[in-house]
Amino acid sequence: MSQFSFLEATDWQCACCRQPLQPTPVRVSYLNSVFDVELMACSGCGFILVPESLAVGKMLQVEQLLEDK
Amino acid sequence: MDQQQLRALEYRCIQEEPPFCTAACPIHVDARAFMAALAKDDVASARKVLDRTMPFADIVGRLCDAPCQPACKRREVGDPLAIGALEHFCVSHSKTLIKLPKLPAKGGTAAIFGAGLSGMTAALDLARKGRAVTLYTAQPTLGGTLRALVPDTLPADSLAQAQALLTEYGVTIKAATPLDPGTMATLAAACDTVYCDPDEITIHAVAGVSADLDPLTLAAGPEGWFAGSTGGSGASVIQQVADGRRAALSMERFLQKVSLTAQRDKEGAFATRMHTVVTDIAPAAVIGPADPATGYTADEARAEAGRCLQCECLECVKQCVYLQTYKEYPKTLVRKIYNNQAIVQGTRNANKMINACSLCGQCTVICPNDFPVADVCRATRQEMVATGHMPPSPHDFALEEMRFSLSEACRLSRHQPGHATSRYLFYPGCQLSGSAPEAVRRAYALLTGQLEGGVGLMLGCCGIPAHWAGQGALFAATMESLAAEVAALGNPMLIVACSSCLAIFKEFAPALKVRSLWEVLDGLDLPTPPPRPLPGCLSLHDPCTARHQPELRASVRRLCAKLGLPVTEASLGGELADCCGYGGLMQFANQPLGRESAENKARRSEAPAGAGLAYCAMCRDNLAATGRPVAHLLDYLLASPGDPDPLGRSNPGFSWRHEQRARLKRDLLAELWQETAQPRPAHTDIVLRIDQEVRDRLNSRMILEEDLQKVIEFAEASGRYLINPTNNRRLASHRPLRVTYWVEYEPTDQGYRIHNGYSHRMQLPEVRS
């Protein structure tokens, strides 16, 4: 399984843990498909950031691709 | 859809039928393509068109008697194209460019007696099919009566070239052979099949051969004998060619020992089913050559060919932005749908297309064969749902909204206050309740004030989103539950404001007694409108769902007249009205197409600034969203002093319609029945401040304010959110069901200011607690 990285520098910090976000391997899924990706997340609690550009861009494309499978 | 159904559907779309000229041509020359090439000054391509179909184009192109011309559609708007003269021009200015392939030799011998045009054609066609052909003529050279036309009408070398071509294809030419009956009988005995060309042979003089030919096969009596129907000077040139071709096919089939008659109905001239509308085409007279003796110049030929209408149908496509967007006409559309459904593993590329049709049925009304695009798309959606192939995203939002409208938060079913029974039941529908709750309130007051016997009220949703989404079970359950509620109120007559609800009730709940609000209002005393200036001219926009409800449309027009509203018809309306983009859930499956549909409908306005009057709440809102001034008929019918200008009302958007539906129920319960609605969830009390720009973005992303409230409630209660130390904004996400919503916000004194919102369906791992 290939791994895609969607890391981008971000000002967002975890409010709970008061920590900057770190590149983190994450397993995302949709409609019986699973992808290993790298996203910014809190190393304390695991809160994962999906930035807007990813949600309305690549992620949406993949969702629509999977919906037509 | 099985293959048989596909074929039956494809047959109904006549876009691929041959044009009138081609169908009238005994050998089906594609005169439309020929004209298209000539109109572009492309003589070579025009010549290729002739070479593909016409044997000996240098001869036939000069002599053809053009039975296609009287069939030319141009005659209805001017003169028919000068097809014969243009073919003459083409062959005079070009050489043969395509030589059709010759199949490998496959045995079987044919004798052709007589080398007129039909004999030559039969010889050529059979030789191309790989048969050994001997062409006999009593003359010293080929051509029969054509020989007399050299050199005045035909170039000196044209017959010699034809002879060379036949030789090239392997035809053995036996010239100067006496063709008396005895010789022919002897020669015929040495081969398998025979053709007699009446240009040179007197058919009935040959022993046993009948001049009474079978018109389909040109069989002439003895087995394997065939003959032409016409010849001699003055005979139709193209008919001789067609005879030779028809006989060659019969002889080929005879040699193959297969049916001589099967599937030959489209041979020769036939009536095409093509449908070409010429009403908007300017008449144009024939452009003849300035000097008839020398024929067309290149410029004249181009101009004359340019008059060709390039006949096709596409009547539905001309109006439908859906078909235009997907570059399909119904025949190609259903084939794509069929192929999409046949995919077992792989990408179903047509899913979006199937879900983007508005199911409005405009094309079916336009189509001369009532092609049912909407039925096909809707049935396919149902099949996709049943087989688990329906993608979730196109319909999820609309179905959730439907569930919300049917939930306790919005639904209501009551007798009129102070009444134990209902003779009538006002059913405003979910969209009017969301878009213009005040109009619902006033309409109900008017109805209860004037109708005797009790007017109940029912708020909810007819279930049409489920029907459109192919969710048959959900739709059936919705209709069943609605019918049960109506029964519980004593089966009153439903007074229905929404033409979609009405159409659905008439089709799927025929036991319900239903009338449109407009027909009922047309029979009541209308309130006196407040003294205010009438709007300028408004174009009346019929909704697509009133297509088959002429009485409803007539009532609307009578009401407009009673009010003195200066309405004018839209350029396309009535039973041809376009969809605003909501129908069939189009705007959810293909948002840009939904917007374009609204634009397209709005452009039909014949009033200044595109001003319009709608009587469907979704049409009203979607048309207003195009930026044009569009009001709802109830805005004028039930106007009250102090109302803002109805033409200035913007599109409330999904979120506000959602909210207003719930508030309408709560307020009506309190005002009319003195009941308190069940409290709404705590998150709905969260106060949000949202700028218009953000609001528009959220609306286009189909994110409701209630979705934002749920995220904020979750984030603030759990403390799980991100924070941006540079501006103190918060970013949180929450996945109530199948969609993860993200909200960027900041707390304020009175609630939260919303800076952004977005969503995705892909699922993230749970956050560790």
Side-chain angles (χ1 to χ4, degrees):
Chain A
M1 196 179 298
S2 54
Q3 181 159 326
F4 300 96
S5 181
F6 297 101
L7 302 178
E8 53 181 69
T10 178
D11 289 334
W12 293 112
Q13 296 184 0
C14 180
C16 237
C17 310
R18 290 282 157 190
Q19 291 192 28
L21 306 182
Q22 302 291 335
T24 309
V26 173
R27 182 162 285 192
V28 296
S29 62
Y30 188 54
L31 298 177
N32 305 319
S33 289
V34 176
F35 302 89
D36 283 333
V37 297
E38 215 176 6
L39 292 171
M40 301 299 278
C42 171
S43 55
C45 66
F47 192 114
I48 301 158
L49 168 65
V50 176
E52 180 184 21
S53 58
L54 178 61
V56 303
K58 195 73 191 167
M59 200 175 239
L60 179 64
Q61 279 176 19
V62 173
E63 285 169 9
Q64 295 190 338
L65 211 68
L66 292 173
E67 288 196 347
D68 290 339
K69 286 287 174 197
Chain B
M1 193 193 324
D2 60 29
Q3 203 162 50
Q4 208 178 349
Q5 290 167 316
L6 170 71
R7 300 263 180 265
L9 282 167
E10 284 184 321
Y11 180 76
R12 288 169 80 166
C13 177
I14 43 84
Q15 168 60 11
E16 291 175 13
E17 281 286 299
F20 303 94
C21 48
T22 303
C25 172
I27 60 166
H28 306 158
V29 169
D30 189 351
R32 180 176 61 183
F34 174 80
M35 293 300 168
L38 271 193
K40 287 188 290 187
D41 236 353
D42 187 353
V43 178
S45 294
R47 175 60 188 248
K48 285 178 185 169
V49 171
L50 299 184
D51 286 345
R52 278 188 201 101
T53 323
M54 197 181 262
F56 315 108
D58 281 303
I59 298 170
V60 179
R62 285 183 168 86
L63 300 179
C64 182
D65 38 307
C68 50
Q69 279 183 213
C72 174
K73 197 74 180 169
R74 232 320 161 189
R75 78 185 185 286
E76 295 175 24
V77 270
D79 300 309
L81 268 285
I83 304 172
L86 288 172
E87 285 177 353
H88 194 296
F89 164 81
C90 177
V91 299
S92 306
H93 291 80
S94 61
K95 298 235 173 293
T96 303
L97 291 170
I98 293 181
K99 284 195 175 152
L100 297 178
K102 174 178 159 56
L103 298 179
K106 56 187 173 189
T109 54
I112 312 288
F113 297 135
L117 196 47
S118 78
M120 287 162 60
T121 303
L124 181 66
D125 279 13
L126 277 170
R128 278 180 186 159
K129 291 176 197 294
R131 302 299 183 182
V133 183
T134 309
L135 175 58
Y136 298 94
T137 174
Q139 313 282 340
T141 56
L142 304 189
T145 51
L146 297 182
R147 297 168 69 235
L149 302 177
V150 175
D152 296 339
T153 310
L154 287 176
D157 61 347
S158 55
L159 291 172
Q161 280 180 6
Q163 180 157 347
L165 181 73
L166 285 165
T167 309
E168 201 179 312
Y169 275 102
V171 175
T172 305
I173 295 167
K174 300 274 191 190
T177 306
L179 292 179
D180 56 88
T183 310
M184 282 194 280
T186 310
L187 293 171
C191 68
D192 300 316
T193 181
V194 173
Y195 177 75
C196 296
D197 180 352
D199 190 60
E200 194 174 337
I201 308 293
T202 309
I203 306 285
H204 62 265
V206 186
V209 176
S210 166
D212 188 14
L213 305 172
D214 179 324
L216 186 65
T217 64
L218 297 180
E223 204 181 48
W225 282 68
F226 301 86
S229 68
T230 186
S233 69
S236 162
V237 162
I238 198 68
Q239 190 54 49
Q240 291 181 68
V241 172
D243 280 358
R245 181 151 289 172
R246 186 183 286 271
L249 181 60
S250 296
M251 293 160 85
E252 171 64 19
R253 290 190 180 193
F254 176 77
L255 292 172
Q256 285 184 10
K257 299 186 171 49
V258 295
S259 166
L260 297 189
T261 54
Q263 291 188 320
R264 299 189 72 167
D265 53 320
K266 288 284 168 71
E267 231 173 287
F270 66 95
T272 179
R273 298 190 302 129
M274 175 55 80
H275 172 77
T276 300
V277 175
V278 294
T279 39
D280 292 333
I281 295 170
V286 68
I287 299 163
D291 179 359
T294 53
Y296 278 112
T297 64
D299 285 347
E300 290 165 346
R302 185 183 57 238
E304 171 61 3
R307 289 197 311 125
C308 175
L309 302 178
Q310 292 293 306
C311 285
E312 56 181 354
C313 180
L314 293 188
E315 283 303 301
C316 53
V317 180
K318 285 178 195 167
Q319 305 301 343
C320 173
V321 291
Y322 164 70
L323 291 170
Q324 287 162 21
T325 298
Y326 285 96
K327 298 185 170 56
E328 305 289 352
Y329 44 89
K331 185 171 189 171
T332 53
L333 181 89
V334 287
R335 177 152 286 271
K336 278 206 174 153
I337 292 175
Y338 176 83
N339 289 340
N340 192 70
Q341 294 310 91
I343 289 170
V344 179
Q345 278 204 322
T347 305
R348 294 177 161 230
N349 287 316
N351 280 355
K352 188 168 181 175
M353 181 183 83
I354 293 163
N355 285 322
C357 172
S358 71
L359 309 180
C360 80
Q362 180 195 55
C363 55
T364 308
V365 175
I366 292 173
C367 176
N369 297 314
D370 304 336
F371 196 105
V373 170
D375 291 350
V376 172
C377 287
R378 211 202 55 74
T380 307
R381 293 180 197 178
Q382 190 133 353
E383 188 186 319
M384 287 160 74
V385 170
T387 55
H389 287 295
M390 177 59 86
S393 66
H395 302 142
D396 222 4
F397 180 85
L399 292 174
E400 278 309 309
E401 279 303 275
M402 174 182 144
R403 287 190 187 94
F404 179 68
S405 297
L406 287 166
S407 74
E408 202 46 45
C410 303
R411 78 182 302 159
L412 180 75
S413 184
R414 289 281 192 289
H415 290 300
Q416 185 178 334
H419 289 67
T421 57
S422 293
R423 191 169 163 202
Y424 303 99
L425 181 62
F426 180 39
Y427 192 86
C430 61
Q431 299 299 358
L432 184 65
S433 302
S435 171
E438 185 55 30
V440 172
R441 208 184 256 115
R442 291 180 191 173
Y444 188 53
L446 180 76
L447 295 171
T448 50
Q450 292 198 31
L451 293 173
E452 300 289 329
V455 184
L457 179 68
M458 185 180 280
L459 302 178
C461 171
C462 68
I464 204 170
H467 179 60
W468 284 335
Q471 300 279 350
L474 178 60
F475 174 60
T478 307
M479 286 305 283
E480 203 174 311
S481 140
L482 184 138
E485 279 196 48
V486 174
L489 293 172
N491 284 316
M493 169 175 288
L494 272 79
I495 298 174
V496 185
C498 168
S499 49
S500 307
C501 301
L502 195 61
I504 278 285
F505 294 155
K506 284 179 177 171
E507 187 174 354
F508 295 99
L512 290 180
K513 291 176 281 180
V514 292
R515 274 192 93 186
S516 87
L517 173 66
W518 314 112
E519 287 168 83
V520 172
L521 290 179
D522 190 25
L524 298 182
D525 297 327
L526 298 177
T528 312
R532 52 192 274 174
L534 283 170
C537 180
L538 298 175
S539 209
L540 189 57
H541 291 293
D542 291 307
C544 60
T545 46
R547 190 177 313 292
H548 300 299
Q549 306 191 68
E551 276 311 307
L552 185 161
R553 302 197 306 263
S555 303
V556 165
R557 282 153 180 79
R558 282 194 295 273
L559 287 168
C560 290
K562 285 180 190 173
L563 281 173
L565 277 176
V567 292
T568 175
E569 294 294 331
S571 63
L572 198 70
E575 66 167 359
L576 294 177
D578 310 282
C579 171
C580 68
Y582 178 70
L585 307 180
M586 170 195 267
Q587 69 189 82
F588 304 97
N590 185 335
Q591 202 171 55
L593 179 58
R595 281 196 210 106
E596 176 51 27
S597 279
E599 275 290 335
N600 179 54
K601 190 176 179 79
R603 282 194 295 265
R604 308 284 193 191
S605 169
E606 298 273 317
L613 183 70
Y615 54 98
C616 159
M618 270 325 292
C619 286
R620 207 303 303 183
D621 288 356
N622 277 341
L623 291 169
T626 70
R628 292 171 179 82
V630 180
H632 193 282
L633 178 54
L634 287 178
D635 296 334
Y636 294 111
L637 267 173
L638 306 172
S640 176
D643 281 355
D645 181 2
L647 291 170
R649 186 158 64 96
S650 60
N651 173 26
F654 295 121
S655 204
W656 190 229
R657 272 194 296 266
H658 174 96
E659 180 60 25
Q660 293 205 110
R661 256 173 237 141
R663 290 189 189 178
L664 177 66
K665 178 202 172 154
R666 182 196 64 195
D667 295 349
L668 284 175
L669 257 189
E671 289 163 23
L672 300 177
W673 288 277
Q674 284 77 48
E675 286 180 38
T676 308
Q678 277 186 13
R680 295 183 63 199
H683 63 250
T684 57
D685 292 331
I686 297 176
V687 177
L688 305 180
R689 291 178 60 200
I690 314 176
D691 291 344
Q692 192 57 44
E693 187 197 338
V694 176
R695 201 178 287 281
D696 290 345
R697 190 184 316 144
L698 294 171
N699 190 60
S700 74
R701 289 176 175 176
M702 288 182 275
I703 297 173
L704 302 175
E705 285 183 35
E706 204 182 332
D707 298 325
L708 310 180
Q709 289 166 326
K710 285 179 191 169
V711 176
I712 293 174
E713 180 191 49
F714 173 81
E716 295 296 318
S718 64
R720 295 204 168 276
Y721 50 84
L722 302 175
I723 192 153
N724 187 334
T726 61
N727 56 16
N728 273 326
R729 289 184 186 176
R730 297 174 183 184
L731 180 64
S733 73
H734 182 48
R735 188 179 180 93
L737 212 54
R738 289 175 294 273
V739 178
T740 302
Y741 297 97
W742 289 81
V743 187
E744 185 179 338
Y745 65 98
E746 66 179 303
T748 65
D749 292 346
Q750 287 105 26
Y752 299 91
R753 174 177 288 282
I754 303 298
H755 293 285
N756 199 10
Y758 53 94
S759 68
H760 56 81
R761 291 175 169 270
M762 203 163 276
Q763 217 167 343
L764 305 174
E766 293 291 321
V767 175
R768 294 189 295 273
S769 47

